[in-house]
Amino acid sequence: MAAPLDRIRVGSAPDSWGVWFPDDPRQVPWERFLDEVAEAGYSWIELGPYGYLPTDPARLTDEVGKRGLTVSAGTVFTGLHRGPSVWESTWEHVSQVAALTQAMGARHLVVIPSFWRDDKTAEILEPPELTGEQWAYLTKGMERLGHEVKETYGLDIVVHPHADTHIDTEDHVERFLDSTDSELVNLCLDTGHYAYCGGDSVKLIETYGERIGYLHLKQVDPEILADVVRGEVPFGPAVQRGVMCEPPSGVPELGPVLVAAQRLGVELFAIVEQDMYPCEPDRPLPIAVRTRQFLRSCGA
């Protein structure tokens, strides 16, 4: 048994139950997700796509409370690199999610940049590289978002590097961090997405430790990833091929990531996310149980 990682709060998310959309007949009903995530031994959860779980705070408080669960964060998608014209529509979406997140007693809002390639059709929507002007829109927009979310809802934003977005590779992540104010914007390091895009999570934690505000625990299958990279496969179809795999069979090794995170000396959420959309309804629970046992063996 590893030394206890007493600063790491482990949870899971609808994503580990194959949930990507507020409503989709191929996803398990929200009641089943809540029942099973509690049964698997997790006490923290994320909201997932807004509208998947009940959005009435009183009802959701009752539903999570009776299962011994607590919400750690909400999630929003943004396209702030497009400039000031998207601010109003972005804020409308963010406000909805942030209000529910705040009402649930959570302190974090996970912010995912918009995709440059369509997840389902693989259509290229925008160039994968931003111009200098777009980088400025992105970084200034995220700082403004961080400020407004903090002022209005008391939440910290943590920006989530993600495959097929403009914040993905080591170069892009470092450029983003170097261009933003740590008082306003920090990072949700997703170990799977970062590995998918060629980054080293332990190195990032050791180099930019003060910017790591939140963790998503995920692994990639190196063989499937090699095929995905060779074939320039978009993220959605890559997930259907099983590129995100059950720990501890993939990369990065999660033990060293958790130890590096513990060394930061701050309390951090580490939320398990194994992308499995779409999946058979009986598949997630046994994986979730084994993953929780594995993380306990790492000391988390």
Side-chain angles (χ1 to χ4, degrees), residues 76-91 94 111-114 126 130 133-146 157 159 166-167 176 185:
V76 295
F77 287 85
T78 57
L80 293 168
H81 68 283
R82 297 184 187 121
S85 62
V86 301
W87 175 260
E88 260 175 62
S89 58
T90 302
W91 183 248
V94 169
V111 180
I112 299 177
S114 54
E126 297 178 70
L130 296 177
E133 182 183 46
Q134 288 173 317
W135 266 109
Y137 284 150
L138 175 64
T139 54
K140 295 295 159 229
M142 284 295 189
E143 288 181 333
R144 182 181 177 188
L145 192 68
I157 71 164
V159 176
H166 296 109
I167 307 177
F176 178 75
V185 179

Side-chain angles (χ1 to χ4, degrees), residues 176-209:
F176 178 75
L177 289 173
D178 291 343
S179 311
T180 49
D181 181 348
S182 62
E183 293 291 312
L184 300 170
V185 179
N186 284 307
L187 212 63
C188 167
L189 169 58
D190 183 305
T191 60
H193 279 280
Y194 202 50
Y196 185 103
C197 300
D200 178 335
S201 288
V202 171
K203 180 183 163 197
L204 187 69
I205 292 168
E206 288 175 348
T207 312
Y208 285 90

Side-chain angles (χ1 to χ4, degrees), residues 14 21 27 60 63 85 109 166 174 256 265 267 276 292:
F21 303 101
Q27 297 176 170
L60 186 54
E63 294 287 354
S85 62
L109 195 63
H166 296 109
E174 291 187 354
E267 297 219 330
M276 293 202 292
R292 187 70 195 95

